[in-house]
Amino acid sequence: MGALPLTLVFLAAIILTFGNCKNKGNQSDASAADTLTDDALMDTVQRRTFLYFWEGAEPNSGLAPERYHVDGVYPQNDSNVVTSGGSGFGIMAILAGIDRGYVTREEGLARMERIVSFLEKADRFHGAYPHWWYGDTGKVKPFGQKDNGGDLVETAFLIQGLLAVHQYYVNGNEKEKAIAQRIDRIWRDVDWDWYRKGGQNVLYWHWSPTYGWEMDFPVHGYNECMIMYILAAASPTHGVPAAVYHDGWAQNGAIVSPHKVEGIELHLRYQGTEAGPLFWAQYSFLGLDPVGLKDEYCPSYFHEMRNLTLVNRAYCIRNPKHYKGFGADCWGLTASYSVDGYAAHSPNELDDKGVISPTAALSSIVYTPEYSMQVMRHLYNMGDKVFGPFGFYDAFSETDNWYPKRYLAIDQGPIAVMIENYRTGLLWKLFMSHPDVQAGLTKLGFNTNKQDVRQQ
């Protein structure tokens, strides 16, 4: 992002000053969240998180910076690096902000035009975008030495957001219809079929113009990548046959593996673990509506993801490693910053490092509204140790007295999107209304009969 925009400096200073004042009062002041209605608290959190993608956007591209550090210290000198997947989440957060009046429809459209203009010129590899770009040039920044080409998973997260934007504008005024048409071209240019690596019935995560297929990462389920297979089947130009989903993702039924964790039933096999980090319940379902969604491998994706969330919560309440702060009002393990770099925290003793990532419980609000609101209130009452200019900071550990004032786009985005989906279902309605999405789900044998199963 380079030098911090002056408006953002003032914004951060004002918000942080307000936060400091609020939390230097007595205990009743510190419990301000208890006096707010659920809707008021959700709106406060959603609006502040939206600012990450609005005020905090990289100026040239309009996209989400991969990370934002309040102190301006970036050890890898990467403040100008933008992320494709996190930007997909971010444009959905912006759509919700437009719809709520956080910004005007005209301002929102102008931002989307800037984003689409960048994406039309930025590096692509057989239509797929890389994990990272330099925001000022649109050139790929390698995610790793051999990961300097197309990243089909991150592309899917970006396309999920773009298709929601398409539906928001497709029946609008002439300028809005024009941006929808430009998004349609980007969608149609992604060569999902290429990423079968010579026609295999599985999708590969990466391809590089210099290293080819050397990353060698065929994607099997279950994890966060389900949306990639659905979009690959849905593509009207470079679609893959249904066998790619059934043989590759579901591995001819091996994805089904009923088991219990923390006494809670799970139906699917979770790659490499009994119960995955919570972003596995969130990233594919920011646009894809899990309510009423089922296929031959899972009788209810909503209930499966709800149970994965409940496993996570139950583990934190049991707290076998006796970390400070863990409990019914403070739970949530997922991939985030950690006390030692970056880690995919999961509900098991090996992957639990005593780190709470606010996005885990808050982005689960569609699955566990009462429990997620309990965490939201608790975190808000913790004040400016965990709440800053762009909402809740990425992660913290009470055990280690570790409270970094840092954000990651891929964690902030789901908070704002899932709060909106819980409040109105907006992003679900938009994405699910796209005719290509519906065609892809039908092709793969999904049942999307809408019924409110959330209270069952």
Side-chain angles (χ1 to χ4, degrees):
M1 192 162 56
L4 198 62
L6 193 57
T7 56
L8 188 52
V9 174
F10 287 139
L11 173 74
I14 290 169
I15 291 173
L16 289 173
T17 298
F18 171 77
N20 286 331
C21 291
K22 182 187 76 172
N23 289 287
K24 289 181 179 176
N26 57 34
Q27 182 60 37
S28 62
D29 292 331
S31 301
D34 296 335
T35 67
L36 295 175
T37 65
D38 283 356
D39 201 59
L41 181 56
M42 283 190 289
D43 197 68
T44 295
V45 174
Q46 182 179 348
R47 186 184 294 259
R48 193 77 69 88
T49 308
F50 156 85
L51 291 176
Y52 183 94
F53 303 99
W54 190 258
E55 292 288 348
E58 192 281 322
N60 176 63
S61 64
L63 292 178
E66 161 67 14
R67 63 195 77 240
Y68 176 79
H69 298 172
V70 171
D71 61 9
V73 176
Y74 295 86
Q76 297 182 19
N77 194 31
D78 57 356
S79 65
N80 65 330
V81 172
V82 295
T83 172
S84 51
S87 291
F89 306 161
I91 60 178
M92 298 172 93
I94 291 173
L95 276 184
I98 296 168
D99 210 60
R100 288 201 167 271
Y102 297 168
V103 294
T104 68
R105 194 171 176 100
E106 293 72 26
E107 289 170 327
L109 180 62
R111 175 63 59 87
M112 294 301 179
E113 287 174 336
R114 186 191 310 179
I115 288 169
V116 170
S117 294
F118 177 86
L119 292 174
E120 287 170 336
K121 300 182 183 69
D123 281 351
R124 274 186 275 184
F125 306 89
H126 293 275
Y129 290 109
H131 193 118
W132 287 338
W133 301 277
Y134 293 103
D136 48 349
T137 66
K139 298 301 179 184
V140 61
K141 172 181 166 56
F143 191 68
Q145 180 186 343
K146 295 182 179 180
D147 190 358
N148 65 345
D151 183 317
L152 200 63
V153 174
E154 297 294 314
T155 296
F157 297 151
L158 177 59
I159 293 294
Q160 180 178 217
L162 287 173
L163 293 185
V165 177
H166 177 278
Q167 292 304 99
Y168 195 73
Y169 289 130
V170 69
N171 295 316
N173 61 37
E174 290 309 306
K175 281 189 173 182
E176 291 172 342
K177 288 178 179 176
I179 203 72
Q181 290 173 355
R182 292 166 68 188
I183 287 171
D184 188 60
R185 284 194 289 272
I186 291 172
W187 157 233
R188 289 169 175 267
D189 282 346
V190 182
D191 192 349
W192 307 90
D193 195 59
W194 166 265
Y195 284 83
R196 294 170 64 192
K197 188 184 173 184
Q200 298 177 51
N201 280 346
V202 67
L203 292 174
Y204 280 74
W205 197 310
H206 316 89
W207 179 81
S208 160
T210 49
Y211 298 99
W213 301 104
E214 287 186 37
M215 290 288 289
D216 194 27
F217 198 148
V219 180
H220 307 295
Y222 181 84
N223 48 45
E224 76 275 23
C225 305
M226 182 169 154
I227 190 69
M228 175 181 68
Y229 275 88
I230 290 172
L231 290 173
S235 171
T237 49
H238 303 287
V240 304
V244 175
Y245 176 78
H246 297 297
D247 298 352
W249 174 252
Q251 291 190 288
N252 297 302
I255 193 175
V256 178
S257 179
H259 62 289
K260 285 188 177 183
V261 184
E262 301 293 329
I264 297 167
E265 293 184 356
L266 294 174
H267 186 74
L268 299 177
R269 175 195 62 188
Y270 292 80
Q271 286 287 337
T273 184
E274 288 193 322
L278 277 183
F279 73 93
W280 287 10
Q282 295 157 2
Y283 288 3
S284 283
F285 297 103
L286 299 179
L288 182 67
D289 187 351
V291 181
L293 187 71
K294 62 182 179 180
D295 67 358
E296 64 184 274
Y297 309 110
C298 185
S300 169
Y301 281 97
F302 178 85
H303 283 299
E304 182 74 8
M305 296 301 103
R306 182 175 188 272
N307 282 359
L308 178 59
T309 305
L310 291 173
V311 166
N312 197 295
R313 177 178 183 268
Y315 172 87
C316 290
I317 291 173
R318 184 166 66 87
N319 193 15
K321 298 176 79 171
H322 307 291
Y323 288 121
K324 183 180 178 182
F326 276 36
D329 61 356
C330 195
W331 54 271
L333 307 177
T334 193
S336 70
Y337 275 125
S338 191
V339 287
D340 184 20
Y342 181 86
H345 310 106
S346 297
N348 64 71
E349 293 189 42
L350 178 64
D351 297 318
D352 170 19
K353 303 181 186 302
V355 172
I356 294 294
S357 312
T359 187
L362 303 189
S363 302
S364 296
I365 193 167
V366 296
Y367 305 119
T368 54
E370 285 189 31
Y371 297 149
S372 295
M373 285 303 304
Q374 193 174 354
V375 174
M376 192 183 299
R377 288 186 180 279
H378 173 77
L379 295 178
Y380 191 73
N381 282 335
M382 289 178 69
D384 60 284
K385 279 203 302 188
V386 299
F387 196 63
F390 299 137
F392 292 108
Y393 295 119
D394 191 59
F396 66 91
S397 170
E398 292 191 54
T399 298
D400 291 298
N401 194 31
W402 178 76
Y403 298 93
K405 291 178 166 33
R406 294 181 171 185
Y407 296 100
L408 290 174
I410 56 171
D411 289 340
Q412 294 309 105
I415 296 174
V417 173
M418 285 305 210
I419 288 176
E420 185 61 41
N421 276 333
Y422 176 67
R423 296 173 85 183
T424 68
L426 175 68
L427 289 316
W428 284 343
K429 292 171 186 173
L430 289 171
F431 179 79
M432 296 295 284
S433 71
H434 197 292
D436 291 342
V437 171
Q438 284 297 321
L441 290 169
T442 299
K443 179 179 179 178
L444 298 182
F446 280 88
N447 184 320
T448 58
N449 287 339
K450 194 66 179 169
Q451 53 183 325
D452 190 359
V453 300
R454 282 173 284 194
Q455 302 305 318
Q456 295 180 10

